[in-house]
Amino acid sequence: MTLVGRLFSYHALTIVSSARRRRGSGRGQPIASARKKSLSKKKVDTPATEEDLENLSGSETETNTIKTRRRRRATLNTSDTREEDQPSPHGDPVKKRSPIPLPPPHPRYSLRSRGGTQLTPLVLKAPKPKLKEPEPESEDEEIQGLKEEEIEHLEDQEIEDLEDEEIEDLTTIPSDCTETFGESFGIEVPIASQSEPEFQPNEPEKQESALAIEGAIMEKFLREWRQDAVNKHQYDSAIFIGDKLLALTNDPNDAFFLAQIHFSTGQYTRAQAFLDGTGLIQKSAPCKYLYALSQIKQNKYEEALQTLGDESPIISNPHNLRKRGTSRANEEKYEAAMCYLRGVIYTKQGAYDKAKEAYKTAVKIDIRCFEAFDTLMRNNLLSPEEEWEFISEIDFDSMAASVGGAQGEATTQFLKALYTTRLSKYRNSSKFDDAIALLSTQYPLAGNHDIVLAKAELLYTQCRFEESLKLVKELLAKDKYNFKLYPVYIACLFELGKKNELFLMSHDLADNHREEPVTYVAIGAYYMLIDRLADARRFFSKASVMDPSFGPAWIGFAHTFAAEGEHDQAISAYSAAAKLFQGTHLPQMFLGMQHLQLNNITLADEYLQIAWGLCKTDPLLMNELGVVFYHNEHLHEAVKMFLNGIKLADEIGGDPKTYVQFRTNLGHAYRRLGRYGEAIEEFTHAIRIGGNEANIRCSMGLCCLMEGKTRDAIGHLHEALSLVPQDPVATELLEQALLKSADEPFEPTYYLPDGSAIVPTDKDFDKLLGEDKFQSPLPSDPSSSVQVASGRNAGTAKRNRVGGGARGTRRGEPDPSVMDVSDSEF
Amino acid sequence: MASPAAPELAKHDLMILRKDLRIAARRSSERCLFHAAKWLAEQLNSLPQNVPSSHHYLKDQSSLPHDGLDTFVNDDEEDKYHLAKSYFNVNEFDRAARVVEGCVSSKAAFLCLYAKFMAGEKRKDEESEMVLGPLDGNVTANKELPILTKKLETMLADNKEDTFLLYLYGVVLLKQRNEKPAYQALVRSVISYPYNWATWDELKTITRSVEDVNRVMQDLPDHLMTRFFQLLASQELYHVNEAVYTLVEQLTEVFPRSSWLKSQRALLSYHVKDYEESEKIFDEIMQNDPYRLDFLDHYSNILYVMDKRSKLAFVAQVASATDKFRPETCCVIGNYFSMRSEHEKSIMYFRRALNLDRNFLSAWTLLGHEFVELKNTHAAIESYRRAIDVNRKDYRAWYGLGQAYEVLEMNYYALYYYQRAGALRPYDSQMWAAMAACYEKMNRPDDAIKSYKRALSGNAGSSAAAANQWDDFELNTKTLIKIAKLYERVKRSDEAVHYMEMCLKAEPDLGPSEDIATAKNWLAHYEKDRLNLGRALQLAQELFDAGLMVEDSRAMVRDIRNQLDMDHPRI
């Protein structure tokens, strides 16, 4: 037992590093690239938040720091255990329940037992209690450590694609074993993170000093050999030796270890069958866990669920539980891991709500169950409120308790900050900033890629693509195949229209990482950028088949339909995304946008309200809502909404270019309210920040026309037509404007040689031509200057009339500018 | 627009002017504003030869203005700036911009943004592809503009009055057609540093009418450079009057050797159709500065109008020997081919001019003319439009647009464009006659009559001095008859008679002509109908004697005589 315990206890230490590894194998976060939506021109922002900072291990040093800290904690644990273990009524369940003998902590015992036994582990049962006595506490501790770590370790494996990463994992495990079981494995293995096997000198010494029997030496030799083989990824020899070792010792630990090796070689069936054969499953939690995991790997979800039992443990009061002590805590770790596995199974079965609950339970039981936390955040399973509520429910204090003292306090803070950076950025951005500040000032994590990535995502959410891209690129320069980075990277490149870079990047990915869904998303994004929607769709769909919970793929898939105007298909694709990612408002918002395009204002409103409920800080969502108001003729509300959106956008400090749409829409709203001056101002502003669309010019023309500035109107309309020569609205407006201008009197200024100016009226010319002698001018021919003046007024009156007429026709037909609004939306 | 007193420049003032111009030329050239630097240096070199060059005064560094335009915050930026400038000089704009990114010294910061702007312009030109192609024009925009606007706004917030940044801001805004703020920026720029010629050059494009110029003048500092601007703006608006001539005189006193001033004067003459004078001045310029190509396109226009084909050929040879790939040269050659009625070839040359510089105004207008010749109305419209985009003050382009739309029978459109042309040249009868024709086609005889009356006031053919008179009439018989006929149409015979009579009054000057015959014929009929047979007979007889409309007049004479005989039978 000790063996195993130690073995896994390493994992607690490495959670972080293994997490990093996992992240390396990375599935991207769904949402970031969700942003791809920007396709629709209305760059919506992303909830990029979910991106996590999960891993601490951007740099070696950091990992080391953490490890050391962990070790310290482990030491503390030990003492706790000693005090509390025995009295606890529940004790270690495994210990109690299982008839399995705990393996002797020291080689000598094993040897002895080996002497008289068959391979069955049961045989060993008897000696165990005895053995335990010499050093009960330490043993307990080991066991507990073992279990919890093991679970986490296995989770890692499960999640990873079991390729290189997994192998690495294994490598690390044993290497750690080396530390803890110096005696039994006695191998010095370089740990992935280069941490020196500091423990070696300590424990082994103690243990060694206890006994030295030749059998032990033999066993030790074999274990070393096995470990060495594993470290070298020579699994065949590891299996060979492991098998022999098992035969010698008949130790359940060795059995378990062998199962582990089978598992790592990807022979899940064999691992399962082997575990079946040992009969350890019901007795030992790690075995049960491994067993379930093997089943999951074989897609036998139902069976796995049976193995695990579908009852989540009830945690009535986690705080109390925690306080009961470490032994209890260790047990919880198993529970947490199994809860997590349940979540995985539910996800696979499509029962997302149950899965969500399972994940949440897992984290609540053990906050170190990062897998579950990560899954929750990465896939946006929680709405932002839920997330913050959830994080407040998590019991970080248990950390403090387990570490103890000021150290514990710091650890709690540290962990809390780390987790906070993973949360949705829709809410409490101040807390988010605090967390970042803490991590970068008190710990040397400012340059850590998780922290930087969180920043990049925040920037992306705020539509500051250039800056975001810069950060991501810096990260990529350090760690080129960190797939976590790619969704943001792709999305930024897409937003900025950097075709070429996207092309190169997706080719690189396609050459090297065909197994990653993000590769296909990159290719899809590229095709989308060059307007080959059919191809884009193919690749997005491929990505989503590879990983159905990969958000960017779904949303990109939906975008291809939206871009083609296939609203119904787009809606169903977005709906699928909405079901998968409940924590982000994006799918809802896209749904609203699609309905808006289909002119289902009511439905659109509903969806947008849902999105609004999820996220109140997305300026572009405010834009959509404003448009809904606009269409419902609530113009004042629309204006208010647009203004708020602009304000928000200003606060965020995003690229003003992104907010062209706001200005334009605000201008339209003003226009409909008859506030033409303000409308023109807004349009002008929009043009200054980069809007150069016929629609804007055309609207300006309309406003000028309404205000009676016919000449300005003609100018604007000409601009519009020079952008889109066949624009029907502009053409018609221009016609009207020209007709109107033909009705207006045209009396240019004459400049005389002395530099003075004169505006002669028609009457003056009559006089010059000697025509004033005719006393009876036609009514249409005003003959006195006074009359000319009044004639001008008449012109104004007429102009107004014409204006009214124009407005009338506008009303009659579908208001073109309204159409424009929605067009530009998408 | 009070005419400014002649600048009495003492020698000391000249010395200061020389120093200022020298600094200005250097500053512009350090910022890669090459055209402005060229202009400033030209003026610098056209100061009177006897200006004392007080050595220490001119070279003394301490006499440099302390406005931070010439200094660097540190050596690092200075080095970077030199690198960037050399990149810029070899047209590596993006590279240049990158080198000085983030610099805060005036020169480096400006160069960074300007290089970015130029890079955007270059890309825009490349993306526009063919002249008049589908991607040419507003469709393709300089993509750097929004970024530049934002950067400039932030920088100007800190460094409020850097004249060059303000200039660039104005340019960017103008490119985005945001004229009001652009105007403000440019005015601020010249107020803070009047010697910044680039800004003046840009400012002139905003003034679209004489009113604009007058209004602008009130905002501007009273400065020598302001007068240059006033001259240039007035010239471009065809606003020629004594005040402008005085202006040229005064400036020529200060800069007696300035070719630029000479060419302005030539253009003024050209605008009032005093072609000989204009030609003379250009000849002079060509002699003094044989390799100068500036404004040569205008010279070729003058020669074209004067129908001096061989001289045009000569100028074309000179220009192409100097530099084949200058837009000016291409325009001269295009004009030459146009004169030989080889319109395809001439279009090719105008296109080439535009490929070299898409903002080269005269090429757009001339290209439009050529398309009209080839009856390619739509292409003509597009060319004229582009001309107007570049410079709204070009009445020929407006007029051309009107003509093109008239051909397409889109009279409202035509009318609008003629009106714009007319607003620029109200004393040009051609514009008014065109407007009147539109009104006629639109079946609005009253408006047509009014326009024709204004057309009568035109006297475009007369000498410069009277150029801008509005109350001086040329009794154009054709127009008079048109007015009379229109009055007849609206059943106002009194007025009709009045104009027909006016037409007759022109006879002593013009001698017998078809129009007068028409008038006489019309009057004869009119008098006959009113039974004023004596006058009718007299008119008809006159017609018959002059040998005009013989058949008709003979019949009428006979007819009237018969009637007379009937009333007063001969005994």
Side-chain angles (χ1 to χ4, degrees):
Chain A
M1 258 319 194
T2 322
L3 260 186
V4 184
R6 289 298 187 141
L7 186 93
F8 289 101
S9 84
Y10 177 66
H11 270 271
L13 300 180
T14 34
I15 269 185
V16 177
S17 54
S18 67
R20 168 179 52 113
R21 240 173 274 125
R22 175 166 7 100
R23 124 116 31 156
S25 76
R27 313 169 152 159
Q29 85 276 37
I31 313 286
S33 58
R35 301 276 240 79
K36 232 138 261 169
K37 58 192 162 177
S38 57
L39 279 196
S40 45
K41 180 170 293 184
K42 73 168 347 188
K43 355 234 103 152
V44 186
D45 86 308
T46 277
T49 323
E50 32 288 304
E51 269 323 332
D52 16 287
L53 302 181
E54 77 185 3
N55 88 0
L56 308 173
S57 52
S59 66
E60 305 289 310
T61 26
E62 279 144 19
T63 320
N64 286 341
T65 333
I66 290 157
K67 256 187 211 152
T68 350
R69 212 166 273 136
R70 286 285 172 104
R71 277 184 201 127
R72 235 176 272 137
R73 180 174 54 83
T75 342
L76 289 173
N77 272 350
T78 320
S79 54
D80 287 350
T81 324
R82 281 189 189 135
E83 292 160 15
E84 294 182 6
D85 190 11
Q86 298 290 26
S88 143
H90 304 283
D92 183 340
V94 182
K95 228 195 295 166
K96 284 237 154 147
R97 246 179 275 134
S98 78
I100 308 180
L102 294 178
H106 301 301
R108 52 177 162 150
Y109 294 113
S110 333
L111 252 197
R112 207 191 281 159
S113 53
R114 173 185 48 132
T117 1
Q118 306 294 314
L119 285 178
T120 28
L122 285 179
V123 186
L124 286 184
K125 201 190 341 178
K128 185 207 115 193
K130 255 192 263 162
L131 293 177
K132 232 172 127 187
E133 271 164 304
E135 283 181 345
E137 284 109 39
S138 71
E139 190 178 59
D140 278 352
E141 171 217 344
E142 315 268 36
I143 290 162
Q144 288 148 11
L146 163 160
K147 285 177 191 159
E148 88 189 67
E149 310 321 340
E150 170 192 24
I151 287 168
E152 277 158 14
H153 157 59
L154 288 179
E155 277 167 24
D156 286 351
Q157 287 177 327
E158 192 270 337
I159 294 230
E160 281 162 40
D161 287 324
L162 278 188
E163 295 187 0
D164 312 339
E165 322 301 329
E166 170 189 292
I167 291 163
E168 267 178 43
D169 255 5
L170 256 201
T171 330
T172 14
I173 301 162
S175 71
D176 192 63
C177 288
T178 319
E179 297 177 13
T180 7
F181 301 90
E183 194 184 337
S184 34
F185 287 109
I187 318 157
E188 271 193 33
V189 184
I191 298 174
S193 53
Q194 291 183 348
S195 77
E196 302 296 322
E198 300 151 31
F199 283 77
Q200 208 174 353
N202 302 330
E203 288 191 45
E205 262 176 46
K206 260 190 253 160
Q207 290 174 346
E208 258 175 63
S209 63
L211 287 179
I213 305 180
E214 17 172 297
I217 292 166
M218 167 76 164
E219 219 167 272
K220 185 182 164 207
F221 166 71
L222 285 177
R223 285 204 170 114
E224 274 172 13
W225 186 358
R226 183 181 67 183
Q227 191 53 46
D228 191 42
V230 169
N231 288 345
K232 289 176 180 155
H233 304 283
Q234 291 171 343
Y235 292 113
D236 282 342
S237 52
I239 289 172
F240 178 75
I241 302 301
D243 185 44
K244 303 302 165 287
L245 193 61
L246 182 63
L248 285 177
T249 61
N250 206 7
D251 183 336
N253 280 336
D254 287 330
F256 180 72
F257 202 92
L258 193 54
Q260 287 277 32
I261 297 172
H262 285 317
F263 186 90
S264 349
T265 51
Q267 303 187 29
Y268 308 122
T269 33
R270 194 167 171 197
Q272 191 192 346
F274 181 80
L275 283 170
D276 261 338
T278 58
L280 285 168
I281 300 148
Q282 289 312 320
K283 298 161 197 157
S284 133
C287 291
K288 189 167 162 188
Y289 179 86
L290 187 62
Y291 190 71
L293 196 55
S294 305
Q295 283 171 322
I296 290 176
K297 283 289 177 194
Q298 299 169 60
N299 296 340
K300 296 177 182 167
Y301 303 120
E302 274 302 330
E303 293 165 35
L305 199 57
Q306 270 175 13
T307 313
L308 292 169
D310 54 0
E311 292 277 300
S312 287
I314 304 134
I315 37 160
S316 48
N317 188 342
H319 289 267
N320 286 348
L321 267 180
R322 289 279 143 68
K323 278 170 195 143
R324 251 176 252 154
T326 327
S327 71
R328 182 69 194 148
N330 286 338
E331 175 193 341
E332 282 154 16
K333 278 168 200 159
Y334 281 109
E335 285 305 338
M338 295 210 218
C339 280
Y340 167 69
L341 278 194
R342 264 180 222 116
V344 172
I345 295 166
Y346 289 138
T347 311
K348 295 281 186 196
Q349 291 175 338
Y352 295 108
D353 285 335
K354 274 172 133 182
K356 187 163 94 179
E357 284 313 313
Y359 290 135
K360 278 168 84 171
T361 319
V363 183
K364 278 182 198 164
I365 296 175
D366 178 12
I367 65 169
R368 275 173 288 177
C369 186
F370 181 77
E371 290 295 342
F373 183 75
D374 180 52
T375 314
L376 279 172
M377 296 308 148
R378 197 181 53 207
N379 296 335
N380 290 296
L381 294 176
L382 301 178
S383 71
E385 278 94 359
E386 284 178 305
E387 282 185 11
W388 286 95
E389 193 186 322
F390 176 55
I391 198 119
S392 65
E393 280 173 18
I394 299 180
D395 180 19
F396 286 104
D397 295 338
S398 69
M399 262 334 219
S402 58
V403 176
Q407 272 295 342
E409 202 49 38
T411 315
T412 308
Q413 269 193 358
F414 177 74
L415 213 75
K416 197 162 181 180
L418 278 183
Y419 276 33
T420 308
T421 55
R422 298 285 319 257
L423 291 185
S424 159
K425 279 117 193 153
Y426 295 159
R427 292 286 140 79
N428 291 334
S429 59
S430 62
K431 279 197 189 166
F432 176 75
D433 292 339
D434 292 346
I436 295 251
L438 176 83
L439 290 176
S440 23
T441 52
Q442 302 202 8
Y443 303 90
L445 289 179
N448 182 276
H449 79 248
D450 264 335
I451 310 284
V452 178
L453 183 61
K455 275 189 208 154
E457 274 156 11
L458 194 62
L459 289 174
Y460 183 80
T461 319
Q462 297 167 351
C463 303
R464 292 151 82 172
F465 307 119
E466 291 278 7
E467 296 162 66
S468 175
L469 182 63
K470 211 173 132 226
L471 287 182
V472 177
K473 273 181 153 175
E474 277 167 17
L475 291 180
L476 281 173
K478 283 188 232 157
D479 183 5
K480 192 169 173 202
Y481 293 108
N482 185 341
F483 291 100
K484 203 106 210 174
L485 302 174
Y486 276 90
V488 188
Y489 185 46
I490 295 169
C492 283
L493 290 179
F494 184 89
E495 293 292 344
L496 296 168
K498 301 202 168 181
K499 281 187 263 199
N500 204 22
E501 222 169 302
L502 196 52
F503 174 82
L504 180 68
M505 184 262 278
S506 45
H507 260 276
D508 182 51
L509 286 181
D511 288 345
N512 295 317
H513 291 275
R514 280 171 187 278
E515 74 288 353
E516 283 299 328
V518 77
T519 305
Y520 297 96
V521 168
I523 300 173
Y526 173 71
Y527 277 125
M528 202 137 102
L529 203 55
I530 60 168
D531 260 338
R532 283 171 59 179
L533 295 174
D535 294 311
R537 184 173 309 143
R538 231 178 49 211
F539 283 101
F540 282 131
S541 120
K542 177 153 192 190
S544 69
V545 168
M546 290 176 75
D547 179 0
S549 61
F550 191 48
W554 275 104
I555 291 187
F557 185 61
H559 281 326
T560 59
F561 287 117
E564 277 186 345
E566 302 272 358
H567 302 303
D568 292 330
Q569 274 139 306
I571 284 175
S572 57
Y574 284 131
S575 304
K579 221 178 285 164
L580 284 169
F581 316 112
Q582 299 175 352
T584 159
H585 70 293
L586 284 177
Q588 309 285 356
M589 185 166 84
F590 293 140
L591 280 169
M593 283 158 61
Q594 288 300 314
H595 284 298
L596 207 53
Q597 266 191 327
L598 289 171
N599 230 6
N600 292 336
I601 308 294
T602 337
L603 266 179
D605 193 23
E606 250 167 58
Y607 280 112
L608 292 175
Q609 290 300 345
I610 299 177
W612 181 241
L614 288 170
C615 170
K616 291 200 169 46
T617 52
D618 181 352
L620 295 151
L621 176 59
M622 295 170 95
N623 183 34
E624 295 306 312
L625 284 166
V627 173
V628 169
F629 280 130
Y630 180 93
H631 281 288
N632 286 334
E633 304 289 324
H634 297 310
L635 296 175
H636 290 284
E637 285 87 342
V639 166
K640 220 186 286 168
M641 194 51 98
F642 291 137
L643 283 175
N644 283 342
I646 291 171
K647 210 174 114 207
L648 184 69
D650 285 346
E651 278 168 18
I652 293 174
D655 183 355
K657 207 168 136 195
T658 324
Y659 306 119
V660 170
Q661 207 57 53
F662 267 116
R663 296 281 175 190
T664 321
N665 290 347
L666 184 56
H668 283 301
Y670 279 139
R671 179 179 60 75
R672 290 276 300 279
L673 286 169
R675 291 152 75 175
Y676 299 118
E678 286 159 278
I680 291 175
E681 204 134 295
E682 290 307 325
F683 289 132
T684 318
H685 196 128
I687 291 171
R688 185 162 72 237
I689 56 184
N692 191 22
E693 289 164 38
N695 156 30
I696 301 179
R697 300 282 181 185
C698 192
S699 315
M700 286 178 88
L702 183 57
C703 289
C704 290
L705 205 57
M706 293 297 191
E707 279 203 313
K709 297 182 194 157
T710 317
R711 267 182 62 187
D712 291 350
I714 292 173
H716 290 309
L717 292 169
H718 270 134
E719 298 270 352
L721 285 173
S722 78
L723 290 169
V724 183
Q726 302 301 331
D727 189 294
V729 182
T731 313
E732 207 215 296
L733 284 176
L734 180 62
E735 199 122 321
Q736 278 184 22
L738 287 172
L739 276 171
K740 217 169 121 184
S741 97
D743 284 339
E744 287 171 9
F746 175 62
E747 289 176 344
T749 317
Y750 287 65
Y751 293 92
L752 301 184
D754 59 0
S756 63
I758 181 166
V759 185
T761 61
D762 289 328
K763 178 59 198 157
D764 297 327
F765 284 93
D766 288 351
K767 215 180 270 173
L768 279 170
L769 291 164
E771 214 186 293
D772 46 343
K773 66 187 173 193
F774 303 105
Q775 289 303 316
S776 58
L778 283 189
S780 65
D781 189 21
S783 54
S784 74
S785 305
V786 183
Q787 265 176 314
V788 169
S790 67
R792 270 198 187 149
N793 294 341
T796 326
K798 206 194 283 177
R799 182 189 308 150
N800 291 344
R801 207 184 56 228
V802 174
R807 194 184 299 195
T809 38
R810 288 266 83 71
R811 284 271 156 76
E813 56 192 61
D815 187 339
S817 42
V818 175
M819 278 161 28
D820 291 342
V821 173
S822 40
D823 283 349
S824 44
E825 228 79 62
F826 300 95
Chain B
M1 193 171 65
S3 71
E8 295 291 329
L9 289 168
K11 290 205 162 170
H12 181 70
D13 294 334
L14 273 180
M15 236 162 61
I16 293 177
L17 179 62
R18 188 171 184 173
K19 187 197 87 175
D20 285 348
L21 278 175
R22 187 180 284 181
I23 293 173
R26 201 182 58 215
R27 282 178 169 174
S28 290
S29 111
E30 279 171 346
R31 283 169 179 82
C32 296
L33 297 167
F34 300 125
H35 287 285
K38 167 177 142 187
W39 186 91
L40 287 163
E42 262 178 27
Q43 306 320 312
L44 175 65
N45 282 289
S46 52
L47 285 168
Q49 270 156 336
N50 55 356
V51 176
S53 64
S54 152
H55 204 73
H56 74 278
Y57 192 72
L58 287 170
K59 297 273 157 77
D60 188 4
Q61 284 297 314
S62 63
S63 66
L64 279 176
H66 298 285
D67 47 11
L69 289 177
D70 302 292
T71 49
F72 288 97
V73 290
N74 55 38
D75 287 353
D76 203 29
E77 283 200 4
E78 186 164 2
D79 295 346
K80 278 187 186 167
Y81 158 77
H82 285 300
L83 179 61
K85 185 162 184 295
S86 52
Y87 285 151
F88 192 104
N89 288 341
V90 292
N91 288 354
E92 296 184 310
F93 301 121
D94 285 308
R95 211 172 164 199
R98 194 168 162 269
V99 170
V100 270
E101 187 121 41
C103 289
V104 293
S105 311
S106 168
K107 275 190 258 185
F110 176 84
L111 197 62
C112 172
L113 297 176
Y114 188 54
K116 223 171 227 155
F117 173 77
M118 290 304 285
E121 286 289 298
K122 189 170 145 242
R123 273 193 286 275
K124 178 184 139 194
D125 278 353
E126 287 161 2
E127 282 161 16
S128 301
E129 294 177 3
M130 205 176 77
V131 168
L132 286 183
L135 292 174
D136 196 16
N138 284 351
V139 188
T140 317
N142 182 342
K143 296 198 181 69
E144 307 291 336
L145 294 183
I147 306 164
L148 285 174
T149 320
K150 197 185 165 206
K151 281 199 178 162
L152 280 164
E153 271 162 12
T154 17
M155 288 175 77
L156 286 171
D158 306 338
N159 186 6
K160 282 203 176 335
E161 302 303 320
D162 186 321
T163 174
F164 291 101
L165 288 181
L166 281 166
Y167 155 74
L168 192 56
Y169 187 44
V171 170
V172 169
L173 288 173
L174 266 186
K175 288 268 174 201
Q176 293 174 317
R177 321 227 152 231
N178 228 328
E179 301 197 352
K180 253 186 223 148
Y183 168 73
Q184 285 156 359
L186 293 175
V187 168
R188 268 167 67 195
S189 166
V190 287
I191 287 176
S192 81
Y193 186 56
Y195 285 104
N196 188 354
W197 178 250
T199 311
W200 291 111
D201 214 28
E202 215 52 55
L203 197 55
K204 84 177 186 217
T205 63
I206 302 186
T207 52
R208 297 219 185 127
S209 64
V210 182
E211 289 99 331
D212 281 350
V213 177
N214 292 344
R215 209 175 313 126
V216 172
M217 292 304 291
Q218 290 165 7
D219 293 341
L220 295 176
D222 185 22
H223 194 273
L224 184 75
M225 298 297 282
T226 315
R227 294 190 190 139
F228 272 115
F229 165 73
Q230 193 183 357
L231 169 62
L232 182 59
S234 303
Q235 181 268 112
E236 293 221 327
L237 281 164
Y238 314 100
H239 177 51
V240 189
N241 58 34
E242 281 152 22
V244 179
Y245 277 112
T246 334
L247 213 55
V248 185
E249 296 299 331
Q250 292 169 353
L251 289 170
T252 312
E253 262 173 51
V254 186
F255 301 98
R257 296 181 291 151
S258 168
S259 301
W260 187 84
L261 280 173
K262 273 187 198 150
S263 46
Q264 292 302 310
R265 183 192 278 276
L267 289 176
L268 289 177
S269 304
Y270 171 45
H271 293 331
V272 296
K273 312 210 168 166
D274 185 357
Y275 301 126
E276 282 80 12
E277 173 70 12
S278 186
E279 185 193 357
K280 217 179 83 199
I281 302 173
F282 271 118
D283 280 343
E284 218 175 284
I285 296 172
M286 277 183 81
Q287 260 175 7
N288 293 342
D289 192 352
Y291 299 109
R292 181 189 164 99
L293 292 177
D294 304 359
F295 295 109
L296 224 51
D297 50 319
H298 292 280
Y299 186 33
S300 75
N301 287 345
I302 294 164
L303 293 173
Y304 186 98
V305 177
M306 293 172 81
D307 211 13
K308 293 198 167 182
R309 194 159 132 183
S310 49
K311 193 155 187 192
L312 184 53
F314 167 76
V315 175
Q317 289 293 352
V318 170
S320 75
T322 309
D323 184 353
K324 270 190 184 144
F325 294 95
R326 274 277 296 267
E328 286 89 347
T329 309
C330 297
C331 277
V332 176
I333 300 175
N335 262 336
Y336 172 70
F337 281 118
S338 172
M339 202 163 191
R340 292 177 42 150
S341 297
E342 295 183 31
H343 297 296
E344 272 88 2
K345 269 194 177 171
S346 99
I347 285 176
M348 193 186 86
Y349 275 98
F350 291 134
R351 274 180 187 277
R352 181 182 291 177
L354 291 170
N355 272 327
L356 293 167
D357 178 2
R358 282 185 202 247
N359 292 329
F360 199 73
L361 169 68
S362 43
W364 280 118
T365 315
L366 294 171
L367 186 61
H369 292 338
E370 294 310 308
F371 280 126
V372 170
E373 293 288 339
L374 291 177
K375 308 247 178 326
N376 186 349
T377 317
H378 289 282
I381 287 176
E382 196 49 40
S383 312
Y384 286 134
R385 261 193 207 301
R386 296 295 301 279
I388 286 162
D389 275 349
V390 179
N391 178 356
R392 292 177 183 251
K393 290 171 286 192
D394 187 6
Y395 79 93
R396 291 165 305 172
W398 288 113
Y399 185 78
L401 268 178
Q403 278 181 313
Y405 277 111
E406 213 178 338
V407 171
L408 294 175
E409 308 215 325
M410 296 167 79
N411 292 315
Y412 286 109
Y413 283 71
L415 177 67
Y416 174 76
Y417 296 115
Y418 285 139
Q419 283 186 348
R420 299 278 70 73
L424 287 163
R425 283 171 79 92
Y427 41 81
D428 191 335
S429 59
Q430 213 183 348
M431 312 298 149
W432 290 103
M435 269 182 255
C438 283
Y439 279 126
E440 268 188 83
K441 286 188 191 154
M442 288 157 67
N443 211 4
R444 289 164 61 166
D446 290 335
D447 292 314
I449 290 171
K450 282 184 216 159
S451 299
Y452 276 130
K453 284 180 191 163
R454 283 175 184 251
L456 284 177
S457 77
N459 51 359
S462 60
S463 72
N468 294 335
Q469 294 282 11
W470 67 274
D471 52 357
D472 180 22
F473 282 84
E474 180 196 19
L475 291 183
N476 183 325
T477 48
K478 272 199 175 55
T479 314
L480 287 169
I481 285 170
K482 276 189 179 147
I483 297 176
K485 291 219 160 140
L486 283 167
Y487 270 127
E488 188 189 10
R489 205 167 124 199
V490 296
K491 309 252 179 308
R492 289 173 60 186
S493 43
D494 285 354
E495 283 88 346
V497 172
H498 176 75
Y499 284 98
M500 285 299 187
E501 296 287 359
M502 278 177 78
C503 190
L504 287 195
K505 278 182 211 154
E507 191 181 8
D509 299 339
L510 302 174
S513 74
E514 209 166 307
D515 293 325
I516 290 173
T518 317
K520 278 186 178 168
N521 188 19
W522 188 90
L523 277 171
H525 280 286
Y526 174 78
E527 297 289 356
K528 188 182 144 212
D529 291 347
R530 288 178 54 187
L531 296 178
N532 192 352
L533 295 179
R535 174 106 204 275
L537 182 61
Q538 186 203 343
L539 288 168
Q541 194 64 53
E542 274 175 28
L543 265 181
F544 185 70
D545 294 347
L548 293 161
M549 299 175 126
V550 182
E551 294 295 314
D552 198 27
S553 57
R554 186 193 294 141
M556 198 186 311
V557 170
R558 201 171 45 224
D559 207 20
I560 296 170
R561 282 194 195 284
N562 284 344
Q563 223 168 339
L564 280 173
D565 287 349
M566 236 186 285
D567 293 349
H568 311 280
R570 258 177 264 172
I571 304 163

